[in-house]
Amino acid sequence: MKIDSAVFLADLREVPRLARYAEELGYDGLWTAEAGHDPYLPVALAATATERVTLGTNIAVAFPRSPLVHAQIAWDLQAASRGRFVLGLGTQVKGHNERRYSTPWLPPGPRLREMIQLIRHIWDVWQHGKQPAFQGKYYQFSLMTPFFSPGPIEWPHIPIYIAAVNPYMCRLVGELCDGIQVHPFHSTKYIRETVLANVEQGLAKAGRKRTDVTFATSAFVIAGKDRDEVERVRAAVRQQIAFYASTRTYIGVLEAHGWGETCYRLNEKAAKGDWSGMASLITDEMLAVYAVEGSFDEVPGLLKKKYGGLIDRLSFYTPLRPGEDDAIWRRVIAACRS
């Protein structure tokens, strides 16, 4: 199991320093997100500041950009990182596409399938000089002149991961993708019974194996140097789980454990802005299912027990921040990877 981290920064000038720090600390990969800032720009800076770590988007929102835009940025980042880039895409939900991005909402599953197919076709055109010839329901590509072609690169295979929750998207992972970004709000029961089960259906349809798909996710970890810090972390995790669990898209994660009604209660409180009240609905029993809690020395063993044989790349939900706990996290990362 590889151990990754996330990079959430408002100041791009800090990215090279943070990326080098993460590589020195022992992380295997760094992920950026489209959460307030562009997900691609930090990767460009990290690519030229590091030598070893995998770099990827988790995720770039798919539909506001055309397939060629995604393909071109990924091609440049793959070259800059010397073959270490992962293109992670996600659909987002209807409201955000229409009201935040001014993007028409079309059937997201079939549209994402076509986007992935076209992105790979574009890469093939650039790498092998083939004629562009893609005509789909949502996208078409029939023009590429030498002036606008970046030409071949040394590392033409760029893995594509997608964020997947519902059965269609999970099956799409199995059919077409190199990896899946499992949502941080999950349980191992939900991953096995819903996510993995549908990925395996897609794999069977495409004649592929489980080893052809990388499972990546983030884990909620509750740990601290003393009781007060543990309580602060526990409260923050409880609040974050409440936020995710209030979204009906993720009700299946609760229903897998008989807690589906909690989603509706959380949704009502969210509509009223009762954020503290939301956290109170996340019980200790739920925390035990959706998070890992223990001392820093216990955490590696707990994570291996929970995710071993199920998850291939694991991130800590806590953003990467250099500080006085460096020695602790270096020890935790090494123990998780051993």
Side-chain angles (χ1 to χ4, degrees), residues 20-35:
R20 285 191 294 267
Y21 162 80
E23 191 167 65
E24 190 275 331
L25 207 59
Y27 282 108
D28 294 295
L30 290 174
W31 299 96
T32 62
E34 188 150 7

Side-chain angles (χ1 to χ4, degrees), residues 61-287:
V61 180
F63 303 139
R65 303 173 179 89
S66 75
L68 191 136
V69 169
H70 286 300
Q72 193 164 47
I73 296 172
W75 202 246
D76 288 341
L77 292 176
Q78 180 77 333
S81 66
R82 302 297 187 264
R84 293 180 287 129
F85 180 63
V86 174
L87 176 60
L89 299 172
T91 62
Q92 251 294 354
V93 296
K94 180 180 180 180
H96 282 269
N97 274 269
E98 292 183 336
R99 297 168 56 199
R100 187 154 68 95
Y101 289 102
S102 299
T103 299
W105 185 248
L106 302 169
R111 188 180 178 189
L112 185 60
R113 173 191 294 276
E114 197 170 288
M115 174 176 277
I116 293 168
Q117 291 170 329
L118 177 48
I119 288 173
R120 289 199 173 123
H121 176 68
I122 293 169
W123 290 338
D124 199 34
V125 168
W126 290 341
Q127 187 67 18
H128 301 291
K130 294 183 177 180
Q131 288 298 312
F134 188 97
Q135 185 63 53
K137 182 177 180 179
Y138 307 101
Y139 301 108
Q140 64 87 27
F141 176 60
S142 58
L143 176 64
M144 178 52 59
T145 63
F147 182 78
F148 292 107
S149 173
I153 59 176
E154 189 176 342
W155 311 270
H157 177 72
I158 304 171
I160 297 178
Y161 293 14
I162 64 170
V165 175
N166 66 45
Y168 182 99
M169 291 298 189
C170 292
R171 290 194 294 271
L172 179 59
V173 169
E175 288 183 56
L176 288 183
C177 300
D178 301 284
I180 178 174
Q181 292 287 359
V182 179
H183 197 279
F185 178 48
H186 63 259
S187 69
T188 52
K189 175 180 171 66
Y190 180 79
I191 293 175
R192 286 193 174 91
E193 295 180 0
T194 300
V195 177
L196 179 58
N198 282 284
V199 169
E200 287 178 335
Q201 287 185 35
L203 290 170
K205 181 179 179 181
R208 302 204 299 160
K209 307 182 296 296
R210 164 65 181 85
T211 52
D212 293 327
V213 173
T214 297
F215 274 60
T217 194
S218 298
F220 292 110
V221 174
I222 301 171
K225 298 188 296 296
D226 52 47
R227 183 185 296 271
D228 288 343
E229 185 176 10
V230 169
E231 288 302 321
R232 287 195 300 271
V233 175
R234 184 183 292 117
V237 169
R238 200 185 299 271
Q239 187 72 63
Q240 189 62 48
I241 290 174
F243 169 73
Y244 284 137
S246 69
T247 304
R248 294 183 184 182
T249 302
Y250 308 131
I251 191 172
V253 183
L254 291 161
E255 288 177 332
H257 300 272
W259 297 324
E261 181 61 30
T262 302
C263 177
Y264 299 109
R265 294 169 62 196
L266 286 166
N267 191 265
E268 291 173 0
K269 287 185 177 293
K272 298 175 182 176
D274 184 8
W275 306 111
S276 61
M278 288 171 63
S280 69
L281 295 181
I282 304 302
T283 66
D284 289 344
E285 184 181 6
M286 291 177 180
L287 276 184

